[in-house]
Amino acid sequence: MIYCSGPKVPFNKPFIAGNELSYIWQAVIKNGQTSGGGVFTQKCQSWLVKTLESDAAFLTHSCTAALEMSAILCDLHPGDEVIMPSFTFVSTANAFALRGATPVFVDIRADTLNINESLIQAAITSKTRAIVPVHYGGVACAMDEILQIALDYGLFVIEDAAQALLSTYKGKYLGTLGHIGCLSFHETKNVISGEGGAILLNKTLEEDLASRAQIVWQKGTNRTAFFQGATDKYTWLQLGSSFLPSEIAAAFLLAQFEFAHEIMEKRRRLVDLYSRMLKPLEDFGFIRLPKNLGKGLNSNGHLFYVLTSGLNERSRLIDFLARRGIVAVFHYVPLHSSPAGRKYGRTSGFLAVTDDISARLLRLPLYYEMEPEDVELVAQAIKKFYRN
Ligand SMILES: *Cc1c(COP(=O)(O)O)cnc(C)c1O
């Protein structure tokens, strides 16, 4: 999160739906449970299962934690390889590198900025175990093609759907298409609990994923089965860790879930407004806007970006906007060129689009309480920059 002294239009502004504190009061005072796995955790998990039509969901304390759970569930060993874009957040790669696996970075498509599915096959070796599509900005990867490749080669598909709550692909919710889906409720995402996340499991692709996930989630123990009376010993069964959030976070999150669709609708309207207001600049060839997504891809309005003509122009535009109290920020430093990315990962082919786009992409302010006038202010400032 970027703070500057009293910006007129901040980059992000965490939104409080209304019932957060009353639910926390219920959890702490009425139910008397602050540790994880209580009534609010159950309610949040039910909401996810029902709303996203998922087979099973467990809350986690972050999407990072959900990705780390995924890496444990795939039973990776040192030397195994996991295919992913380089244009993503560090957690996508960290989770697998922590298990000794090698992230293999593949270039992205210039239209959606998602992993280029046509380059995946060339990255597969005898050591490949999984593909991790990242749905950038809540826009779906080419899931049909990716799932077909995974099926052909016997690979796991773990969706990094951190930014994609309620986005859909051909009528299905992102995070529910692969074997595993990982969501984030970090303060910078659409729906928040400070830090927070969830892991979604697909029983159609692998029957016992959900029951195995429950054990990993409970620090590698059969705690849940024990308390349900299904076993008489409470014991350590396999690798696991502390992945549950507290009931306090779950109570906060439930209040947000109840408002999730409104949040998405508002953000979509702001994205549409940005597109309409900045279209003339695209027509004149100054900037490029996010591409029309095409049939079947429904984004949740997570972010809005423009592509400038280069690094230098982007820096000047950031300064120009900052002087007018508008906070716009760039996004990922490609992982393949980062110190840890070079150490733990490798590339497959040239990552020309990744290098090019990451130097030119600028994210504009977008948050629930933003008003059309704020969007107009930002758009006018950008127009002024290009008029000069
Ligand atoms: C935000 C984000 C994460 C990490 O989410 P946390 O909940 O902060 O751990 C991972 N991947 C992507 C693509 C993200 O945008």
Side-chain angles (χ1 to χ4, degrees):
M1 177 99 129
I2 308 262
Y3 295 96
C4 80
S5 57
K8 260 191 279 184
V9 189
F11 177 69
N12 180 39
K13 197 170 156 195
F15 170 65
I16 303 304
N19 282 332
E20 284 86 350
L21 293 182
S22 119
Y23 287 177
I24 289 173
W25 181 88
Q26 280 182 44
V28 178
I29 307 295
K30 202 159 147 251
N31 304 346
Q33 178 168 0
T34 54
S35 66
V39 177
F40 283 99
T41 301
Q42 296 296 336
K43 282 188 175 172
C44 285
Q45 291 176 172
S46 303
W47 187 90
L48 287 169
V49 165
K50 195 159 165 263
T51 308
L52 306 181
E53 296 159 42
S54 165
D55 293 331
F58 294 98
L59 287 193
T60 58
H61 49 76
S62 62
C63 180
T64 301
L67 288 161
E68 290 177 16
M69 273 186 75
S70 311
I72 295 175
L73 284 165
C74 292
D75 192 23
L76 296 178
H77 296 286
D80 287 345
E81 294 180 347
V82 178
I83 294 170
M84 63 182 69
S86 166
F87 187 68
T88 182
F89 188 59
V90 295
S91 297
T92 319
N94 249 330
F96 300 95
L98 274 167
R99 307 247 66 80
T102 303
V104 175
F105 301 118
V106 168
D107 209 2
I108 52 172
R109 296 164 52 125
D111 54 358
T112 59
L113 315 193
N114 285 331
I115 190 166
N116 187 335
E117 67 280 4
S118 70
L119 302 176
I120 291 176
Q121 229 148 338
I124 295 176
T125 71
S126 59
K127 294 174 185 166
T128 307
R129 300 293 312 282
I131 306 169
V132 188
V134 178
H135 306 298
Y136 184 71
V139 174
C141 296
M143 290 308 291
D144 281 346
E145 289 81 355
I146 291 170
L147 287 165
Q148 187 58 52
I149 295 168
L151 189 69
D152 291 346
Y153 290 87
L155 308 174
F156 280 106
V157 173
I158 298 143
E159 296 177 69
D160 183 336
Q163 304 174 10
L165 179 71
L166 294 176
S167 292
T168 57
Y169 175 81
K170 301 186 179 174
K172 288 188 177 155
Y173 288 98
L174 298 189
T176 67
L177 294 127
H179 295 78
I180 302 174
C182 303
L183 300 172
S184 174
F185 309 119
H186 184 264
E187 169 176 272
T188 50
K189 304 301 197 292
N190 286 19
V191 163
I192 64 175
S193 59
E195 306 280 348
I199 185 168
L200 307 174
L201 294 315
N202 186 336
K203 287 188 189 169
T204 314
L205 290 184
E206 192 172 313
E207 178 60 38
D208 68 346
L209 260 180
S211 50
R212 292 202 291 120
Q214 180 138 52
I215 293 168
V216 173
W217 189 63
Q218 291 281 17
K219 304 166 181 77
T221 71
N222 56 355
R223 186 176 191 275
T224 305
F226 177 73
F227 281 105
Q228 287 167 350
T231 173
D232 55 3
K233 278 199 296 290
Y234 172 17
T235 187
W236 184 25
L237 297 178
Q238 67 144 89
L239 285 185
S241 189
S242 178
F243 290 117
L244 300 75
S246 80
E247 272 288 284
I248 301 171
F252 189 105
L253 184 60
L254 187 68
Q256 293 265 320
F257 278 172
E258 291 172 351
F259 222 76
H261 287 91
E262 278 93 333
I263 293 172
M264 177 177 66
E265 295 303 335
K266 173 81 183 273
R267 296 182 78 112
R268 279 181 177 162
R269 285 201 297 278
L270 295 169
V271 163
D272 286 346
L273 187 57
Y274 263 131
S275 297
R276 269 185 279 129
M277 297 220 54
L278 293 172
K279 187 78 176 54
L281 283 183
E282 184 175 51
D283 293 341
F284 279 116
F286 287 122
I287 55 172
R288 209 200 83 192
L289 300 177
K291 282 265 179 289
N292 240 339
L293 304 176
K295 263 216 189 104
L297 303 198
N298 238 328
S299 149
N300 61 357
H302 176 60
L303 59 77
F304 189 84
Y305 64 82
V306 298
L307 293 177
T308 62
S309 68
L311 184 60
N312 191 285
E313 183 182 293
R314 180 177 71 180
S315 305
R316 285 189 292 112
L317 180 54
I318 291 175
D319 287 347
F320 185 88
L321 294 173
R323 282 199 300 276
R324 284 155 183 80
I326 297 165
V327 185
V329 299
F330 52 84
H331 217 169
Y332 308 122
V333 173
L335 297 183
H336 73 279
S337 49
S338 69
R342 286 169 197 247
K343 184 171 173 192
Y344 297 109
R346 70 170 176 84
T347 55
S348 173
F350 292 108
L351 276 63
V353 181
T354 301
D355 286 330
D356 173 48
I357 298 273
S358 58
R360 300 196 285 127
L361 182 137
L362 184 65
R363 293 183 292 158
L364 303 183
L366 187 62
Y367 46 91
Y368 181 81
E369 286 170 66
M370 197 171 182
E371 294 306 330
E373 301 82 78
D374 300 320
V375 173
E376 238 154 272
L377 196 81
V378 177
Q380 291 304 346
I382 296 174
K383 283 179 181 166
K384 183 151 192 221
F385 173 81
Y386 282 102
R387 262 202 305 273
N388 290 350

